[in-house]
Amino acid sequence: MSPTHDVIVIGLGGMGSAAAHHLAARGARVLGLEKFGPAHHHGSSHGGSRIIRQAYFEDPAYVPLLLRSYELYEELERATGREVATLCGGLMLGRPEARAVAGSVRSARQWDLPHEILDAHEIRRRFPTLNPNDDEIALYEARAGLVRPENTVVAHLQLATRNDADLHFNEPVTRWEPLPGGGVRVHTAENTYTAGQLVICPGAWAPQLLTDLGVPFGIERQVMYWFQPTGGVEPFRPERHPVYIWEDARGVQIYGFPSIDGPDLGAKVAFFRKGTACSPETIDREVHAGEIQAMAEHMSRRIPSLPGTFLKAATCMYSNTPDEHFVIARHPEHPDSVTVACGFSGHGFKFVPVVGEIVADLALSGTTEHPIELFDPNRLAAAPA
C-alpha cells in the first residue's frame, strides 16, 4: 500500500511551520501534526519578539544562513502581508573581551558586515536610555532588529495551507517508526499515518521523540519580562531604541527590545541562559517575586528608567545541546527517511525560514547547498549528558 503523504512534519512551531511551507511550496503532499493549537504558547515560539542579527557572536559559520534568512523573512512578509520583521538596529554591549562583543566583531569583520564600534560615551549620547560603564563598548549593527514569532508561525502555516498542506492541530504524536520497505509510520492519539519521509521539529519534546538520536538534550525554563519604563515608552520606541544583548563582567547576558506593542505593554527584557532544568511536563509556569526582583535590579544599573513598573512575565523553554549549536540533519539511524531539526539552544528563531528551506532540501533530495556541517548530530554522540 502506497503512503498517504509524501512528507509528515511533526511539530508546527517555528521550524516545523516553515518546513511545512517550503515542502508544500515544492509540490509535496504534506501532513503536519501539532500537539497544541496554531502559534501556541507552550513551547518556544512565542513571547511577541525575538532578536535578529547578522554579526553573530556564537560562530561566524552562522552568517551565510542569516543572510538567507533575512531574504526569506522579506519574502514571507510580501507573500502574506503580515508584519514579521522590524530592523530597528541592535547593540552588542560589554567589555571588549566579552563574548557578545568580541564574537560579534569577529563575525562582522570576517563577513564584511556593516557595523560601528561605539565607546561608552557614544552609546550614552546616541541611546540616552542606556547607562554603560566607562570600560564597556558596543558593536552597533543597523541591520539588527526583531522578528515576531507568533506572526512568523501563522504566516508559514498560512502559506503551507495555501499550497494544500494538511495541518492537524491538537493531535499529539505518540510514536513513530521506520517501515521495513522504506518510509515511515506515525501514530497519534487519534490515527496512524504513513509517508515516504518524516521531518521531526520537536522543540522541547526532542528527548521524547528522538531517543535514538544520541544527543543529550537539556531542556531549560526561561522567563521573559515586560516592564513599564518610568516616564513612559516614548524613549523606547523602535525609532529611538535598539534591540540589545548586554554581557557583564561575570559573563551574564541580558537581552531586550524596544516597545513595539503600544504604551500599555512597556518593553521586554530577559536573562539569556540563566534558566533552570525542566521538561515540558514539569516546567513551572508561575513567575515568582524573587525572579522579578532579580531582573529589575539587574536592569536598573544599566537602563535606570526601565524597571519602573512590572507588567507581566511569561515562560518558555530552551532546547539545549551540549555545545549550544543546532542539530539539522538526516537522522543518522534512519538516513533514508527521517530529517531532524532541533536543539536550537535559545538562539534559533532568527533562522526559522532558512531552516524550513534546509529541511525541505534534506527531506526531498537528501542534501542541501546550505552550509550545515556544524549541525551534524554525530558530533554530540559521545558528549556527556
Side-chain angles (χ1 to χ4, degrees):
M1 186 169 129
S2 62
T4 53
H5 300 88
D6 296 323
V7 187
I8 296 174
V9 179
I10 298 178
L12 293 173
M15 306 306 176
S17 63
H21 156 53
H22 282 281
L23 287 162
R26 300 184 195 185
R29 295 176 299 164
V30 176
L31 170 65
L33 298 171
E34 169 57 51
K35 182 181 179 71
F36 302 103
H40 62 81
H41 62 274
H42 301 288
S44 304
S45 300
H46 63 279
S49 55
R50 293 288 186 275
I51 288 177
I52 189 167
R53 50 195 166 91
Q54 295 180 350
Y56 216 60
F57 68 77
E58 287 83 348
D59 196 303
Y62 285 90
V63 173
L65 299 179
L66 285 162
L67 298 177
R68 177 58 177 157
S69 195
Y70 270 61
E71 294 174 348
L72 291 170
Y73 270 118
E74 291 177 3
E75 291 180 12
L76 187 64
E77 285 193 328
R78 288 195 299 268
T80 64
R82 292 184 179 274
E83 181 185 357
V84 174
T86 301
L87 301 185
C88 56
L91 291 170
M92 303 295 113
L93 299 110
R95 291 180 174 176
E97 68 274 15
R99 184 188 181 201
V101 177
S104 298
V105 171
R106 180 166 65 116
S107 282
R109 290 175 176 170
Q110 180 172 326
W111 291 98
D112 196 24
L113 300 172
H115 68 284
E116 301 174 68
I117 304 299
L118 311 180
D119 63 17
H121 172 76
E122 185 65 7
I123 295 167
R124 296 187 202 104
R125 186 188 72 81
R126 290 173 60 171
F127 307 104
T129 55
L130 307 182
N131 185 37
N133 295 327
D134 289 341
D135 62 351
E136 292 182 315
I137 66 171
L139 178 141
Y140 176 72
E141 182 181 0
R143 290 278 290 166
L146 61 96
V147 292
R148 296 176 177 268
E150 292 91 343
N151 283 7
T152 299
V153 171
V154 170
H156 278 132
L157 296 175
Q158 177 184 338
L159 294 182
T161 302
R162 187 182 298 175
N163 285 296
D164 299 321
D166 185 14
L167 307 181
H168 293 198
F169 297 97
N170 300 302
E171 187 172 346
V173 170
T174 55
R175 62 188 176 93
W176 61 271
E177 61 204 8
L179 297 175
V184 293
R185 180 183 292 121
V186 176
H187 304 266
T188 74
E190 299 178 17
N191 213 330
T192 299
Y193 307 95
T194 59
Q197 295 289 322
L198 176 63
V199 168
I200 306 177
C201 301
W205 287 263
Q208 292 95 316
L209 287 172
L210 293 170
T211 55
D212 60 347
L213 188 60
V215 175
F217 295 104
I219 309 305
E220 195 173 86
R221 172 185 177 270
Q222 297 288 339
V223 182
M224 303 169 282
Y225 304 84
W226 285 259
F227 289 92
Q228 181 66 257
T230 302
V233 299
E234 192 58 32
F236 290 82
R237 296 295 300 154
E239 309 83 49
R240 303 174 64 183
H241 197 276
V243 299
Y244 55 90
I245 298 177
W246 201 329
E247 184 173 332
D248 69 13
R250 300 168 297 160
V252 175
Q253 294 180 351
I254 57 172
Y255 65 95
F257 300 84
S259 175
I260 59 172
D261 291 314
D264 296 333
L265 288 181
K268 175 184 161 186
V269 298
F271 286 108
F272 189 43
R273 305 200 184 285
K274 197 181 177 184
T276 55
C278 70
S279 72
E281 293 73 33
T282 64
I283 182 173
D284 181 3
R285 295 290 185 181
E286 181 182 355
V287 178
H288 302 277
E291 296 177 296
I292 299 167
Q293 181 178 355
M295 184 80 258
E297 290 177 353
H298 196 92
M299 291 303 304
S300 66
R301 296 189 293 271
R302 290 157 181 82
I303 307 181
S305 64
L306 182 54
T309 304
F310 170 70
L311 297 175
K312 68 173 184 174
T315 59
C316 69
M317 289 179 282
Y318 287 3
S319 306
N320 298 320
T321 63
D323 61 6
E324 297 175 359
H325 294 309
F326 309 157
V327 173
I328 310 172
R330 285 288 207 166
H331 195 305
E333 298 299 317
H334 316 288
D336 295 329
S337 57
V338 182
T339 300
V340 297
C342 51
F344 289 97
S345 302
H347 63 111
F349 201 90
K350 59 188 70 64
F351 298 89
V352 156
V354 72
V355 170
E357 188 170 67
I358 292 167
V359 166
D361 290 343
L362 295 176
L364 297 180
S365 68
T367 187
T368 182
E369 294 182 357
H370 289 293
I372 62 169
E373 295 79 9
L374 183 61
F375 312 135
D376 186 342
N378 288 318
R379 77 186 191 276
L380 300 169

